Amino acid sequence: MKEHQVPILTPTARSINAASQAIIKGGLVAFPTETVYGLGADATNDKAVAGIFEIKNRPKFNPLIIHVKNLELAREIVIFNDLANQLAKIFWPGALTLILPRRNERISLLASAGLKTLAVRAPNHNVAQALLNKSNLPLAAPSANQSGRISPTMAKHVASSLFDTKKNGTEVILDGGPCQIGIESTVIDLSENKPTLLRPGGISVEEIEAVIGPLTISEGIKKGNPKSPGMLDRHYAPNLPLRLNAKKPNLNEAFLAFGPCSLMESINLSPTGNLKEAAANLFSMISDLDRSPFTGIAIMPIPNYGLGLAINDRLKRASKPID
Ligand code: TXA
Ligand code: MG
């Protein structure tokens, strides 16, 4: 069968308009930033965000960076503190991602893998800015590569890393030429007491420390594993216990179904058994059920392929008691 080729387009008013329309409709668009190419989707649309994980073939739901036009829009989705204000004023737009408490649930819970914080940055690239302006949406965008491959710094890398497959949900790749910085943004966690470096990147530690003083270096980086900045162990777990692979609910348990199910009171991740739909609903449905009068949440088995791998990974970790 012929492979599906995603069009690589020169950014013009017309192609950016088409890309924005695709985003608004829930599609995915690969676009250049000053660091690396991102694979973007409407950050407020769970299903579009699920599409990112599907295409990247991520076996886990790692939280994604939310790209915004500017500081003002970032303030609508996360709660800024003094340090965040200082850093954003100096380094935005630019290669600095800030982790801050999320303000509300407008941004997909899946985009932050259920965490109560969000990663935000304003990219310093005219094509990325044009897309943000035209779509008028915050964009969830990880690097536009297949999970485990290096981040793309040219449109052709995107095409070969992600899209040489039959399975394709990407509408278009906007070609902005080579990325100027070529490595990902620096990620700083400002959501807790001490500002902590989670990922070294385009803006140096020295530059940041010159503004806000010493940074704590995350354990992940100290262990020589900067690409998984301690995130793998951190997880959102509901207050109620989760029971996996359940066939039916016990007394007082909420029931989260998957696929055809005849139980009246159940909420269903995907009545048709569609894993992308299930991923899109996962965090919001669990958070809806995480309340009295329930004493626990029972979840039907989820098949372990495609996005089911990431769903099961998350469920397994969320079902363990928090240390
Ligand atoms: O330069 C970049 O940052 C590129 C371009 C496209 O903007 N994006 C990028 O995204 O590298 P991604 O998804 O590949 O990396 C996001 C990083 C991951 O290390 C993730 O663990 C961390 O940010 N992250 C996202 N949300 C987080 C959160 N709420 N708490 C802690 N870390 C978070
Ligand atoms: Mg990446």
Side-chain angles (χ1 to χ4, degrees):
M1 199 183 283
K2 197 168 173 293
E3 285 175 348
H4 180 105
Q5 290 293 334
V6 181
I8 300 183
L9 301 182
T10 303
T12 58
R14 198 177 162 162
S15 62
I16 287 173
N17 197 31
S20 308
Q21 289 306 317
I23 296 264
I24 290 167
K25 290 190 188 121
L28 306 187
V29 168
F31 64 95
T33 79
E34 77 280 36
T35 58
V36 300
Y37 276 75
L39 178 63
D42 173 1
T44 68
N45 178 337
D46 283 322
K47 213 158 181 179
V49 172
I52 294 179
F53 288 105
E54 184 175 50
I55 289 202
K56 280 186 64 97
N57 243 331
R58 276 196 176 176
K60 295 191 157 96
F61 291 129
N62 287 337
L64 308 175
I65 296 174
I66 311 302
H67 296 69
V68 289
K69 273 191 279 194
N70 53 34
L71 180 55
E72 201 186 326
L73 285 162
R75 285 201 178 109
E76 289 179 10
I77 61 176
V78 287
I79 301 168
F80 270 67
N81 53 33
D82 283 351
L83 294 183
N85 281 322
Q86 287 176 42
L87 288 174
K89 277 196 183 124
I90 292 185
F91 296 111
W92 279 12
L96 180 67
T97 294
L98 304 176
I99 310 289
L100 290 164
R102 67 154 71 223
R103 206 173 262 295
N104 52 42
E105 297 198 350
R106 178 170 171 241
I107 301 293
S108 156
L109 288 176
L110 179 61
S112 60
L115 293 171
K116 295 200 163 63
T117 53
L118 279 175
V120 287
R121 92 173 182 100
N124 186 16
H125 192 290
N126 56 6
V127 176
Q129 283 287 339
L131 194 59
L132 289 165
N133 265 309
K134 197 80 204 168
S135 65
N136 200 23
L137 285 167
L139 299 180
S143 48
N145 51 284
Q146 196 69 227
S147 180
R149 306 263 297 265
I150 58 164
S151 298
T153 55
M154 292 174 76
K156 66 175 186 197
H157 300 163
V158 180
S160 61
S161 173
L162 270 188
F163 309 118
D164 258 4
T165 63
K166 279 177 279 168
K167 182 179 76 182
N168 205 303
T170 306
E171 318 267 342
V172 61
I173 301 169
L174 292 172
D175 186 353
C179 298
Q180 249 183 2
I181 295 182
I183 54 167
E184 295 96 334
S185 60
T186 305
V187 180
I188 309 274
D189 186 353
L190 296 173
S191 67
E192 285 172 17
N193 289 338
K194 290 192 247 164
T196 303
L197 177 73
L198 296 186
R199 179 176 77 180
I203 292 179
S204 72
V205 170
E206 291 80 359
E207 285 174 277
I208 291 163
E209 290 187 329
V211 179
I212 58 165
L215 281 176
T216 302
I217 309 295
S218 75
E219 287 306 311
I221 295 175
K222 285 191 198 149
K223 286 185 198 138
N225 193 9
K227 285 284 155 67
S228 52
M231 280 311 307
L232 300 180
D233 309 328
R234 242 169 103 178
H235 60 269
Y236 161 80
N239 296 315
L240 295 180
L242 291 186
R243 188 164 63 83
L244 309 186
N245 298 315
K247 295 206 173 63
K248 55 182 197 303
N250 294 332
L251 189 67
N252 297 331
E253 255 182 347
F255 194 60
L256 191 52
F258 174 83
C261 171
S262 54
L263 279 166
M264 293 285 283
E265 314 78 29
S266 66
I267 291 188
N268 204 316
L269 285 166
S270 170
T272 59
N274 178 316
L275 288 165
K276 183 169 160 187
E277 184 182 22
N281 287 329
L282 183 69
F283 290 102
S284 56
M285 287 187 173
I286 289 181
S287 97
D288 283 348
L289 295 174
D290 190 19
R291 59 179 166 82
S292 62
F294 303 124
T295 54
I297 304 170
I299 305 181
M300 275 175 76
I302 311 290
N304 214 22
Y305 57 81
L307 280 179
L309 281 180
I311 295 174
N312 284 323
D313 167 73
R314 181 55 48 168
L315 288 176
K316 242 181 270 155
R317 288 188 288 146
S319 66
K320 286 199 189 118
I322 308 172
D323 314 319

